[in-house]
Amino acid sequence: MTDTATAGVKQGFQLKSANLSMTAIELYYFDKDEFEATLRDKISQAPGFFKDIPVIISMEKYEGLDSELDFFSMIGTCRRHNIHVVGVRGGNEDQRRLARGASLALLPGSSQRDKASEEASPAPEPETKAEPASSGQTEAMPQGPAPAPARIISQPVRSGQQIYAPEGDLIILAPVQAGAEVLAAGNIHVYGPLRGRALAGIHGAESARVFCQSLEAELVSIAGHYKISEDLQDNGWKSAVQIQLRDDLLVVTPLDKA
Amino acid sequence: MARIIVVTSGKGGVGKTTTSASISTGLAKRGHKTVVIDFDVGLRNLDLIMNCERRVVYDFVNVIQGEATLNQALIRDKRVDTLYILPASQTREKEALTKDGVEQVINELSETFDYIVCDSPAGIEHGAQMALYYADEAVVVTNPEVSSVRDSDRILGILQSKSRRAEMGQDPVKEHLLLTRYNPDRVEKGEMLSVGDVEEILAIPLLGVIPESQIVLNASNQGVPVILEEDSDAGQAYDDAVARLLGEEREHRFMTSQKKGFFSRMFKGG
């Protein structure tokens, strides 16, 4: 029935909007050797996570001198560790010019994001700064990026069904049945029994948690660390609990003692 | 417009066909013009339970493929004259049930019937999906044991995602739980899940509880829908279920042990 919708000539590709979560290197200052040492240290904590991932360099908290910035060196260092620098977020005009020189994509900073549509024209207007906002001191509380909206499900998640919240939290106001699977980039809340599998922090967010009214799960996972039903039975089974990651271990705590 | 009711379960052998026969007979007995369709292509049973196996000439697949008209294929029940049976084909493949073909038949039946009862095959494959696709209501037949409950849960998920109502974004299919082969004695001994357990897991409204009974088996073997065994507990339980399906309020029965003798009651300290 839906096939009739796609009419016309078949093209080699189609443009689709994609919404990905990415890792940002938030740069405070740049020193070539220190950069590499810190990077190596971070990678050693979770080697699997960093392999072949794209990152962006965030300039929003950069306090060093522009003359110290060397994007080519950063790209080279990251490349040696199988990390791909794909773009730069925020930064002033000089910094962005340097980034463009290193063939990096330019992304609007989070405080600039509201103005992003205005700034869409590639040529920056050098002198006509009518807005006083950019002077820095008049800027109100620097707002972080708007949180991804939670996905809310009010029907039972039945055996064989999979519910996925690729960006934010997942809130389920019904049972998650045995044989069902719920996944979220953020936290998972189940206001009902959790009998299936729950995977929170699937993009690696170790601070993600799972909350449920009755823990009867087949499997609970946070940022790739998981426990199966057998190992969950001893603590908080069939009661209201939260599950979080502490020192790479899943810890189950009763909600009334939280 | 007919109301389309699918009788489904996921798991096999839980009593779908028995239930289809009794519910369609019950609806017809109350004066509603009813047709029951056997979707179990290749494993046709409904005609046996309805005792019309010797009268099958054309079947559902013949109608879909244009080899017979609906009127040629429909078999009128000998006991209840507002009841018709559309038998399944025993020799064809399940794939013969195409979405368009089934829709055509159901639309045609909708013009003249009040209720269309679809007897689903077991499983979650093509045949089962065709049986539930056009449903307005679903009677989910479940036995009080874990594997049956799990399969019912699975089929409920499919009802919510793959039925026409789900695909068109209409009101969801109305779900009813029918617990069959219920044995209160075994529930007391902890050998079976209780009504409460099953309701709690599946979280859908209870349509009825059919007690486990030799009468059901005997009736099936004789080709009599058990609802016509009006003196039996199983027959009465089905009658209650049909009444509730039509919106009547009836108290649930046969959920507690009844066959307890005088002595056992005495010694239990009652």
Side-chain angles (χ1 to χ4, degrees):
Chain A
M1 269 181 279
T2 49
D3 291 287
T4 51
T6 53
V9 190
K10 209 163 193 185
Q11 290 173 318
F13 65 84
Q14 235 184 338
L15 285 179
K16 297 266 188 174
S17 85
N19 227 333
L20 314 164
S21 85
M22 287 233 289
T23 304
I25 295 179
E26 196 162 61
L27 203 63
Y28 303 126
Y29 59 90
F30 181 67
D31 175 276
K32 191 175 182 303
D33 297 330
E34 215 174 306
F35 183 86
E36 175 145 25
T38 314
L39 189 67
R40 193 179 290 132
D41 178 51
K42 297 280 179 206
I43 293 172
S44 68
Q45 290 170 19
F49 178 74
F50 285 102
K51 181 141 175 54
D52 293 323
I53 62 161
V55 299
I56 55 170
I57 309 282
S58 171
M59 298 303 298
E60 288 164 312
K61 303 227 169 120
Y62 186 72
E63 288 166 351
L65 297 168
D66 288 355
S67 56
E68 286 170 355
L69 266 181
D70 185 349
F71 286 115
F72 287 103
S73 158
M74 275 183 248
I75 295 169
T77 308
C78 287
R79 195 68 206 90
R80 277 199 297 282
H81 294 279
N82 290 317
I83 294 172
H84 306 258
V85 179
V86 296
V88 162
R89 184 174 73 187
N92 62 31
E93 278 160 30
D94 288 334
Q95 292 163 355
R96 289 169 85 82
R97 198 170 297 131
L98 285 171
R100 197 180 291 127
S103 299
L104 290 172
L106 301 180
L107 295 110
S110 49
S111 55
Q112 294 165 290
R113 202 164 288 173
D114 294 343
K115 303 190 287 173
S117 52
E118 296 170 38
E119 287 192 340
S121 61
E125 292 146 53
E127 275 165 288
T128 53
K129 274 189 180 167
E131 301 277 326
S134 50
S135 69
Q137 55 177 169
T138 46
E139 240 171 354
M141 294 290 288
Q143 289 194 333
R151 187 166 179 202
I152 300 177
I153 305 289
S154 47
Q155 291 288 318
V157 186
R158 304 282 182 187
S159 179
Q161 289 184 316
Q162 194 187 54
I163 304 284
Y164 179 36
E167 287 182 70
D169 289 0
L170 181 58
I171 299 171
I172 295 155
L173 303 159
V176 174
Q177 304 284 44
E181 193 169 70
V182 292
L183 311 100
N187 306 304
I188 296 176
H189 305 250
V190 183
Y191 297 99
L194 170 56
R195 302 187 175 110
R197 301 153 74 95
L199 294 89
I202 48 167
H203 301 317
E206 299 194 335
S207 59
R209 296 186 190 190
V210 175
F211 306 85
C212 62
Q213 261 182 354
S214 177
L215 176 64
E216 300 166 38
E218 294 169 339
L219 178 142
V220 173
S221 159
I222 292 170
H225 302 266
Y226 68 89
K227 269 191 178 174
I228 55 170
S229 177
E230 242 178 41
D231 306 323
L232 288 166
Q233 309 266 342
D234 318 328
N235 198 355
W237 191 248
K238 291 201 170 179
S239 62
V241 298
Q242 63 163 324
I243 300 146
Q244 56 192 306
L245 198 60
R246 267 192 223 139
D247 303 327
D248 290 352
L249 267 180
L250 291 193
V251 181
V252 180
T253 346
L255 274 183
D256 49 10
K257 286 177 199 156
Chain B
M1 268 303 276
R3 198 88 186 136
I4 303 165
I5 302 170
V6 62
V7 177
T8 188
S9 72
K11 191 168 162 58
V14 294
K16 280 182 298 298
T17 302
T18 304
T19 299
S20 297
S22 280
I23 285 187
S24 53
T25 305
L27 288 167
K29 240 177 49 165
R30 282 154 198 266
H32 302 290
K33 198 174 174 201
T34 305
V35 55
V36 54
I37 309 176
D38 192 348
F39 274 79
D40 205 348
V41 174
L43 292 169
R44 140 183 130 193
N45 280 154
L46 182 69
D47 52 327
L48 291 173
I49 292 188
M50 301 293 288
N51 199 17
C52 63
E53 75 274 17
R54 290 191 209 90
R55 296 158 65 204
V56 177
V57 183
Y58 294 110
D59 56 52
F60 194 12
V61 173
N62 290 137
V63 178
I64 285 177
Q65 299 187 335
E67 297 155 356
T69 65
L70 252 182
N71 281 333
Q72 286 176 304
L74 285 174
I75 302 170
R76 188 176 196 158
D77 190 76
K78 282 189 171 167
R79 294 156 294 218
V80 187
D81 63 3
T82 47
L83 179 61
Y84 290 78
I85 297 118
L86 183 55
S89 172
Q90 186 70 344
T91 50
R92 306 297 180 96
E93 300 289 324
K94 278 195 200 297
E95 283 63 35
L97 297 178
T98 59
K99 211 178 236 184
D100 294 344
V102 173
E103 182 173 21
Q104 229 167 27
V105 172
I106 285 190
N107 284 347
E108 201 177 331
L109 290 169
S110 275
E111 288 167 18
T112 47
F113 284 91
D114 302 322
Y115 286 94
I116 301 173
V117 177
C118 303
D119 181 21
S120 171
I124 53 171
E125 308 306 325
H126 180 75
Q129 293 195 13
M130 282 300 106
L132 66 80
Y133 186 74
Y134 296 99
D136 300 308
E137 300 190 36
V139 174
V140 178
V141 183
T142 307
N143 286 170
E145 44 105 9
V146 281
S147 60
S148 174
V149 172
R150 164 103 38 121
D151 291 359
S152 293
D153 189 55
R154 183 89 170 90
I155 210 83
L156 283 165
I158 292 173
L159 277 163
Q160 281 163 17
S161 56
K162 296 203 173 152
S163 61
R164 177 171 62 175
R165 280 175 171 271
E167 285 184 2
M168 301 282 178
Q170 296 167 327
D171 291 342
V173 177
K174 195 172 172 193
E175 298 153 343
H176 307 277
L177 171 63
L178 187 76
L179 210 52
T180 53
R181 301 215 168 139
Y182 195 71
N183 185 332
D185 290 329
R186 293 188 59 195
V187 172
E188 271 176 32
K189 286 184 208 150
E191 296 170 357
M192 248 186 202
L193 296 176
S194 72
V195 181
D197 291 340
V198 181
E199 272 188 292
E200 206 261 323
I201 298 174
L202 291 181
I204 59 169
L206 182 67
L207 180 70
V209 177
I210 313 298
E212 185 172 51
S213 161
Q214 184 62 35
I215 308 238
V216 177
L217 200 62
N218 293 350
S220 290
N221 286 337
Q222 288 161 18
V224 180
V226 70
I227 197 169
L228 294 175
E229 303 282 354
E230 287 164 12
D231 299 328
S232 70
D233 48 1
Q236 290 172 18
Y238 269 117
D239 192 63
D240 286 355
V242 171
R244 290 188 201 106
L245 200 58
L246 292 168
E248 257 180 68
E249 293 269 334
R250 285 209 187 172
E251 211 172 308
H252 286 285
R253 299 191 274 172
F254 315 113
M255 284 162 50
T256 48
S257 193
Q258 290 193 322
K259 284 177 194 147
K260 233 176 240 176
F262 175 70
F263 283 102
S264 68
R265 229 175 290 174
M266 285 288 284
F267 287 113
K268 223 181 167 193

